[in-house]
Amino acid sequence: MGFSNDLADEATSGRAIVSVRDLVQHGFALPAQAQVLERVAQDFRLRITPEMLEAATSAGVARQFVPSADELLVRPEDMADPIGDDVHAPVPGLTHRYPDRAILHVTKTCEVYCRFCFRRETVGDTGHLPPDALDRALNHIAATPAIWEVILTGGDPLVLSPRRIADLLRRLEAIAHVQVVRLHTRVPVVAPQRINDALLAALDSRLAVWVVVHTNHADELTPNAAAALQRLVRAGIPLLSQSVLLRGVNDNVAALEDLFRALIRLRVKPYYLHHCDMARGAGHFRTTIAQGQALMAALRGRLSGTCLPTYVLDIPGGHGKVPIGPGYVQADGAAWVVTDPQGKQHTYTDPST
Ligand code: SF4
């Protein structure tokens, strides 16, 4: 299979916002801000799909996608690879952090570029994983019988054409010990037209295919997004969600409650609420751990267990993901002691202001 350098969504690229000039034209920036925003966009590409452009009348949506001069402020705690993808990469394009699962980075392209992205140093190109790198990654998976689950991510795996997705699934199906494929994607929400019959046919597999949808605000769940999620549900694909706790987007009880209730109504189980990672230039999105814990405590009194995700921390540096709570994350004066899945302890310090 060859992954060529095609663009994310030829079908909609004519109407997407892709430049600072577009931002100004649509009233998301003043002409006087253009120069500084050009510097921001050079560091990390800008793209807002037509679906999110419509939804961006909501401040909780716009803040996620509209670049800001705050991104030029790099704090001491910021990291180029906050969750340690590269620390656990046996071959390029593959992260093998836990024995039973591996992450395959099939592309560096996304439909939108989220300004807080934890992979903002590596995503934003138009290239997919080259064929030789894909071969090596699949060879590693085939040679490692402990790998039971393969997580397709990127970038966003659903920017690949249905033909490419089908080819990749056929190759994974041929590896007997692989039983589960999980796709981590923002596409059903930000580019719902991609969830079409051809894609659903491509996802029909002997493997258990799960889709984990990234969404952070109820206002992203437009009627088109809801319809796309329902198409996946009707195709028999189980849906989970992951969200990021983001200052100025969803860091209040009402916003999170609306989001989780909306997801359950759409038959999407809220799975993880991520504490915002230490991505470079994303400090203005971070809350403190104590703020996140207070929000989760307030939600627990209002929502059923089905609506509540697990609040998690990806330990900076690639030490794994843990629930934020007793046994894993303990207050230690002004800092936190975090115990990783192997029992090793790390110190976490809340964002500097
Ligand atoms: S869709 Fe995911 S990988 Fe792409 S910019 Fe957003 S958070 Fe990053």
Side-chain angles (χ1 to χ4, degrees):
M1 176 174 59
F3 284 167
S4 67
N5 287 349
D6 52 355
L7 286 171
D9 61 347
E10 287 147 17
T12 60
S13 58
R15 294 182 294 127
I17 285 188
V18 294
S19 69
V20 172
R21 198 171 66 171
D22 293 343
L23 281 181
V24 173
Q25 270 177 359
H26 283 86
F28 289 114
L30 298 169
Q33 296 172 302
Q35 202 176 355
V36 72
L37 291 181
E38 290 288 0
R39 279 171 57 208
V40 174
Q42 265 170 18
D43 262 9
F44 182 41
R45 197 174 156 194
L46 152 67
R47 193 167 199 288
I48 308 173
T49 55
E51 195 69 26
M52 288 302 98
L53 181 56
E54 291 280 314
T57 48
S58 157
V61 176
R63 182 167 160 82
Q64 296 182 58
F65 305 119
V66 175
S68 133
D70 290 340
E71 293 173 50
L72 296 174
L73 176 61
V74 177
R75 292 167 168 78
E77 64 270 23
D78 289 359
M79 303 170 86
D81 179 18
I83 72 163
D85 282 332
D86 292 343
V87 179
H88 300 279
V91 293
L94 193 76
T95 302
H96 192 188
R97 196 188 325 269
Y98 305 103
D100 72 330
R101 69 212 95 130
I103 298 173
L104 186 53
H105 303 261
V106 292
T107 182
K108 292 183 173 179
T109 304
C110 301
E111 281 283 4
V112 285
Y113 291 104
C114 314
R115 307 319 300 176
F116 51 86
C117 176
F118 64 123
R119 292 197 176 115
R120 56 179 286 155
E121 308 281 329
T122 52
V123 304
D125 293 345
T126 51
H128 303 324
L129 191 63
D132 56 335
L134 181 66
D135 289 348
R136 288 174 67 198
L138 292 173
N139 287 343
H140 176 89
I141 294 168
T144 313
I147 296 178
W148 174 80
E149 180 179 29
V150 174
I151 297 155
L152 304 183
T153 183
D156 196 314
L158 288 187
V159 304
L160 299 183
S161 69
R163 179 183 61 78
R164 288 182 170 136
I165 291 169
D167 286 349
L168 180 54
L169 287 178
R170 297 303 85 81
R171 292 182 74 180
L172 289 168
E173 285 170 358
I175 304 172
H177 53 266
V178 174
Q179 300 291 313
V180 181
V181 168
R182 207 188 321 155
L183 293 101
H184 285 192
T185 179
R186 227 160 165 8
V187 158
V189 171
V190 302
Q193 78 285 353
R194 278 188 174 273
I195 311 300
N196 56 24
D197 289 346
L199 177 67
L200 296 177
L203 294 176
D204 188 7
S205 169
R206 76 136 177 101
L207 301 165
V209 173
W210 289 65
V211 168
V212 181
V213 182
H214 172 184
T215 178
N216 303 311
H217 196 283
D219 291 342
E220 289 168 40
L221 299 170
T222 63
N224 289 334
L229 293 168
Q230 291 319 291
R231 284 196 287 278
L232 288 163
V233 167
R234 288 201 189 98
I237 296 173
L239 298 180
L240 303 171
S241 71
Q242 50 184 346
S243 305
V244 187
L245 180 59
L246 297 167
R247 179 140 60 100
V249 172
N250 58 14
D251 61 335
N252 63 79
V253 172
L256 290 173
E257 179 173 349
D258 286 351
L259 173 64
F260 300 145
R261 285 193 192 279
L263 286 166
I264 284 291
R265 266 200 310 275
L266 293 167
R267 300 184 220 183
V268 183
K269 165 72 184 114
Y271 168 46
Y272 278 154
L273 176 66
H274 292 266
H275 189 68
C276 189
D277 293 309
M278 300 287 196
R280 200 145 51 191
H284 55 295
F285 283 109
R286 282 178 220 134
T287 67
T288 64
I289 283 182
Q291 287 166 337
Q293 285 180 315
L295 287 168
M296 287 302 292
L299 289 167
R300 190 159 288 284
R302 303 167 69 95
L303 293 174
S304 71
T306 51
C307 292
L308 280 175
T310 304
Y311 179 37
V312 292
L313 174 72
D314 251 305
I315 305 170
H319 303 290
K321 189 185 291 103
V322 291
I324 295 179
Y328 292 102
V329 181
Q330 304 280 357
D332 180 25
W336 300 85
V337 175
V338 183
T339 305
D340 73 22
Q342 283 73 43
K344 208 167 142 204
Q345 293 195 322
H346 310 266
T347 300
Y348 179 92
T349 308
D350 275 320
S352 53
T353 49

